[in-house]
């Protein structure tokens, strides 16, 4: 397995292009299972998680062809209704095939994902929602089985907004008989992007992006072409990199509308943020001011940016309280950041971060995707060399991260895990 070596201290400057959003691409690719036809997707990021969902879709019998960032999927001949443990364990979002398969093939069998590094992450609301639509749900041998000769629209109320749960239910309800209303739905831009695609396929969905989504079931859907929206978390990560290193980065092919919480917080820290239609330019300011952060469902501050912001606060001037309200165990990066000299104290779901003058490079271990990104950011400002092991997490969600940061002037490179650390990263 590869590692990333970074020699910190370079101010990052220049331009970077944002890739398609992983978390928009995953449900949109899964939506191709809803109807037999030829789909074409553009701006699909080259990531391990995308490989996993495509592997799953072809495991169902679809023909998948990938050329750079274009993916075509022919879903006319599906012959499998099972998402096996081997694929689901690599990527929890595999559960996104559940809704489309039950809606189209009347049956699905999906391995339960189990716990993961950032928390328990159950899928009870996906299952309860599907049973509200009339599916019979059973749990056996570690698999969820859902069966329904016909799905029927109903009212669904989520206890907490669930992103993939909302997506799964929207896809299933698109082909149900009658009307489904999802209340306390997740409002993330990825949900609006999926609804837009489903509506072009012939679905009748309104309210996506708001807490109440109404889905009037239709008899028939058809295949379409779709373009993946820009990745707002990748964008936020490069924005933090500019603020952190005191450089100026112009981030192109971004969607500033999706980044309001991050733009606002970064400005509070003293960074200069200039917004144009499809680009954001961030210039770091000194000193970095401490701000408090509380992660919340969209449009609040995203949990997927919590670890990256924590790095910024680690070298800020003062004290910052970071509260994680979405996942119960999303502070694993703290132990690694402490090894790099950060002063952070965790108490329950709050982290108290006291800014220090300098972080210092160290060998660290990536534990989940966003934690890994935070370690890269920390490495960029740390004194000396940081070696990030287990970078497969990064490859799940950041396209060409070492090339993108390298292009901005970072001293960063990928090496085989067992290569000896050296001074020229
Ligand atoms: N939850 C339940 N039961 C359920 C579903 C969710 O209790 O049936 C809980 C979760 O445990 C969590 C909260 O509800 O405490 C919200 O979880 P949600 O279902 O919204 O998360 P998700 O759909 O599994 C997506 C993203 C995550 C992102 C979260 C929160 C995708 C593929 N994944 O996960 O992205 O952190 O929403 O915004 O869209 C990442 O990209 O690194 C990542 C983890």
């Amino acid at each position: 397995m590869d590692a990333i070596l970074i020699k910190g201290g370079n101010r990052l400057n220049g331009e970077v292009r944002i890739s398609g959003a992983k978390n928009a691409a995953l449900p949109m690719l899964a939506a191709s299972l809803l109807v037999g036809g030829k789909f074409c997707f553009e701006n699909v990021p080259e990531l391990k998680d995308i490989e996993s969902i495509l592997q799953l879709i072809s495991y169902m019998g679809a023909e998948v062809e990938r050329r750079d960032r274009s993916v075509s999927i022919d879903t006319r001949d599906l012959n499998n209704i099972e998402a096996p443990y081997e694929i689901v364990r690599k990527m929890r979002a595999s559960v996104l095939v559940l809704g489309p398969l039950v809606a189209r093939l009347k049956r699905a069998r999906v391995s339960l994902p189990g716990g993961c590094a950032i928390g328990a992450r159950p899928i009870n609301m996906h299952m309860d929602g599907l049973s509200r639509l009339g599916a019979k749900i059973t749990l056996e041998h570690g698999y969820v089985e859902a069966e329904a000769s016909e799905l029927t629209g109903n009212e669904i109320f989520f206890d907490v907004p669930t992103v993939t749960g909302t997506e799964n239910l929207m896809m299933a309800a698109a082909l149900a008989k009658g009307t489904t209303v999802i209340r306390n739905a997740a409002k993330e831009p990825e949900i609006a992007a999926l609804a837009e695609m489903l509506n072009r396929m012939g679905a009748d969905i309104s309210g996506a992006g708001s807490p109440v989504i109404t889905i009037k079931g239709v008899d028939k859907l058809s295949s379409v072409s779709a373009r993946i929206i820009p990745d707002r978390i990748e964008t936020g990560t490069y924005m933090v990199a500019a603020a952190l290193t005191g450089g100026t980065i112009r981030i192109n092919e971004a969607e500033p509308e999706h980044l309001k919480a991050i733009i606002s917080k970064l400005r509070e820290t003293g960074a200069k943020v200039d917004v144009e239609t499809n680009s954001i330019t961030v210039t770091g300011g000194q000193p970095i001011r401490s701000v408090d952060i509380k992660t919340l469902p969209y449009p609040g501050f995203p949990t997927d940016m919590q670890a990256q912001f924590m790095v910024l606060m680690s070298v800020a001037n003062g004290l910052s309280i970071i509260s994680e309200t979405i996942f119960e165990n999303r502070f694993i990066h703290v132990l690694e950041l402490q090894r790099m000299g950060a002063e952070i104290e965790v108490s329950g779901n709050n982290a108290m971060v006291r800014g220090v003058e300098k972080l210092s490079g160290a060998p660290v271990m990536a534990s989940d995707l966003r934690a890994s990104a935070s370690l890269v950011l920390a490495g960029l400002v740390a004194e000396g060399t940081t070696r990030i092991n287990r970078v497969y997490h990064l490859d799940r969600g950041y396209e060409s991260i070492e090339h993108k940061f390298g292009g901005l002037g970072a001293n960063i490179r990928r090496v085989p895990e067992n290569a000896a650390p050296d001074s020229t990263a």
Side-chain angles (χ1 to χ4, degrees), residues 281-310:
T281 305
V282 181
T283 302
Q286 281 297 331
I288 299 166
R289 287 198 289 268
S290 286
V291 293
D292 293 342
I293 282 153
K294 185 175 191 174
T295 64
L296 285 170
Y298 189 85
F301 191 93
T303 172
D304 289 345
M305 280 299 299
Q306 179 255 105
Q308 300 89 316
F309 240 81
M310 188 179 284

Side-chain angles (χ1 to χ4, degrees), residues 22-24 26-27 49 91-93 95-96 118-127 158 160-167 186 188 190 232-233 296-298 302-304 325-328 330 368-370 396-397:
K22 164 181 85 78
N23 290 349
L26 292 170
D49 274 12
M91 188 189 60
R92 303 177 50 82
V95 73
L96 282 166
I118 61 178
R121 299 182 79 186
I123 56 162
N124 57 306
M125 290 190 277
H126 301 234
M127 297 193 287
F158 285 139
V160 291
T162 157
V163 175
T164 47
T166 303
E167 292 161 349
E188 272 66 4
E190 293 74 23
R232 63 194 165 96
I233 305 300
L296 285 170
Y298 189 85
T303 172
D304 289 345
T325 76
I326 307 292
F327 293 112
E328 68 270 28
R330 210 172 197 183
D368 76 84
L369 170 52
R370 308 303 168 185
R396 292 186 46 206

Side-chain angles (χ1 to χ4, degrees), residues 58-230:
S58 64
Y59 187 85
M60 306 292 163
E63 271 179 42
V64 176
E65 209 183 304
R66 171 157 207 157
R67 235 179 254 128
D68 302 324
R69 297 199 172 84
S70 300
V71 171
S72 39
I73 305 181
D74 184 338
T75 51
R76 281 175 296 184
D77 294 317
L78 297 192
N79 51 29
N80 198 347
I81 49 113
E82 180 172 305
Y85 177 65
E86 291 65 41
I87 301 179
V88 180
R89 80 181 165 84
K90 280 196 278 180
M91 188 189 60
R92 303 177 50 82
S94 305
V95 73
L96 282 166
V97 301
L98 189 59
L101 288 179
V102 192
R104 174 167 166 200
L105 301 175
K106 318 290 176 211
R107 237 187 104 209
R109 200 165 177 267
V110 175
S111 170
L112 269 176
C116 82
I118 61 178
R121 299 182 79 186
I123 56 162
N124 57 306
M125 290 190 277
H126 301 234
M127 297 193 287
D128 293 349
L130 280 176
S131 69
R132 300 271 306 155
L133 299 185
K136 188 173 151 241
I137 309 279
T138 47
L139 270 179
E140 233 167 277
H141 308 299
Y143 278 75
V144 185
E145 279 203 35
E147 237 184 305
S149 52
E150 185 174 72
L151 293 174
T152 314
N154 205 343
E155 290 258 339
I156 292 166
F157 181 86
F158 285 139
D159 291 342
V160 291
T162 157
V163 175
T164 47
T166 303
E167 292 161 349
N168 237 337
L169 269 299
M170 241 169 40
M171 290 190 279
L175 283 174
K177 214 176 165 59
T179 300
T180 299
V181 180
I182 307 177
R183 296 187 192 278
N184 201 21
K187 305 187 286 288
E188 272 66 4
E190 293 74 23
I191 286 162
L194 173 65
E196 191 270 336
M197 172 183 164
L198 293 170
N199 281 342
R200 283 191 299 104
M201 287 168 66
D204 186 349
I205 301 174
S206 54
S210 83
V212 182
I213 304 180
T214 305
I215 306 129
K216 291 186 182 148
V218 296
D219 293 337
K220 200 170 126 293
L221 296 172
S222 48
S223 57
V224 290
S225 295
R227 188 177 169 82
I228 309 301
I229 60 170

